[in-house]
Structures are given as C-alpha cells and as structure tokens.
Amino acid sequence: GALRAKLAELGYATLSIQMPVQAKEARPGDYVETFPEAAERIRVAAGWLKAKGLDRIAVVSHSLGGRMAGAFFRAGNPAPVSAWASISMGFDDYKGVRVPVFDLYAEDDHPPVMEMTQARKATLPKGSKQQRMAGAEHFYVGKEHEAASVVATWLDQVLKPRR
C-alpha cells in the first residue's frame, strides 16, 4: 500500500490488481498453477487503463507478484504495457520478457531473491536496470518512500512521452 500511495503522490495513476490467492499453507511453488489466471487479470486491467485513455502503462510488482507478472510478459504481446518494475522477485529471471525491466532488490532480501540476482541481471531486456537498495529488507520496512522514489525515477525515464 505504501508504494502505491507514494507513486500516486508522485503523479502516477495507480490500479491495484488482486492476484489469485491460495490457501494459507500454500508454498510459493503452489502458485505456479495460478500464473495463467494472474496474467489474464493483468491483461484485462491494462486494457481497462488503455480504454480510460492512459497509454503509458507499467506493471509494478513485488515478490510472488513478480513471478505472476512474469507470466503475463512471457505470454505474448504485453501491449499496452510498456515497462515492468519488478521488486524483490525470486526464483525466476527475465528470459522471454520484451519490455524494459527495473529489477529492484533489497540488501537483506529473501534467499531466493538473492540467489537469482545474477541470473536476473544476465537476462534483463534492452533498456533495463538492476539496483540494490542498501539497508532494506524484503518488505522495505522503513524504506517504502525511498523504494517508491527510485521506482518513480525509473518510470519517469522509460515512460516519458514520445515526441
């Protein structure tokens, strides 16, 4: 919530998408079966934003939501979405993603995030960036505003109006 609120304060229109939820005892791997539904939810939300007249659209995701967003970007044409800010995503890399990605992770992130840092960096598409946030942990507690600011700075660069 803090990231979305801060992005709105910085001038971004935001839309929160409820991703599929599994039972409380579900493990990250149990969510893989929900990825197609998650991708469809992102597709529909992006289309809704486009219909409202917004044409510079990015997905901002955190943790498991990043894996779900990855399914969207790998499913084919991600239009009208033109960028992805992926925060603290573990287990996956960016193979098959064709939009610029901002790969933000915390200095003291979860092991699956840290273990994939180099693989994510090696597969970043053109126009992408990877950044580590010093002094942060996986949920960016106490660093929410700083995280929002670095995400917004990147979005400003990749979503700037075309001339």
Side-chain angles (χ1 to χ4, degrees):
L3 175 65
R4 189 168 68 87
K6 182 66 175 174
L7 286 173
E9 288 173 17
L10 294 170
Y12 283 91
T14 65
L15 175 66
S16 180
I17 307 167
Q18 176 61 55
M19 291 289 98
V21 178
Q22 295 279 41
K24 182 179 177 182
E25 62 275 359
R27 299 167 48 104
D30 297 334
Y31 275 86
V32 172
E33 67 188 40
T34 71
F35 289 3
E37 180 182 350
E40 178 64 8
R41 290 180 186 196
I42 295 169
R43 186 192 67 73
V44 168
W48 184 83
L49 291 169
K50 179 73 173 171
K52 293 289 183 186
L54 300 170
D55 62 353
R56 295 180 297 137
I57 300 171
V59 170
V60 179
S61 61
H62 176 259
S63 197
L64 181 58
R67 296 187 71 205
M68 292 178 175
F72 165 76
F73 285 106
R74 289 183 191 91
N77 182 4
V81 177
S82 57
W84 176 20
S86 175
I87 304 169
S88 292
M89 182 180 75
F91 298 105
D92 287 334
D93 58 31
Y94 300 113
K95 288 179 190 164
V97 175
R98 295 183 301 275
V99 299
V101 175
F102 181 44
D103 180 61
L104 179 65
Y105 66 99
E107 178 179 26
D108 188 26
D109 222 315
H110 286 344
V113 176
M114 300 305 289
E115 290 163 6
M116 290 297 295
T117 300
Q118 291 306 312
R120 290 192 319 272
K121 185 175 185 177
T123 57
L124 284 169
K126 182 181 177 182
S128 299
K129 176 182 179 179
Q130 185 179 70
Q131 183 173 330
R132 178 180 66 91
M133 181 167 289
E137 48 76 48
H138 185 72
F139 294 103
Y140 298 81
V141 174
K143 295 281 190 173
E144 299 94 342
H145 292 291
E146 184 179 343
S149 292
V150 298
V151 168
T153 297
W154 184 78
L155 290 172
D156 288 347
Q157 294 168 3
V158 297
L159 296 179
K160 60 186 169 200
R162 294 178 187 92
R163 298 178 193 243

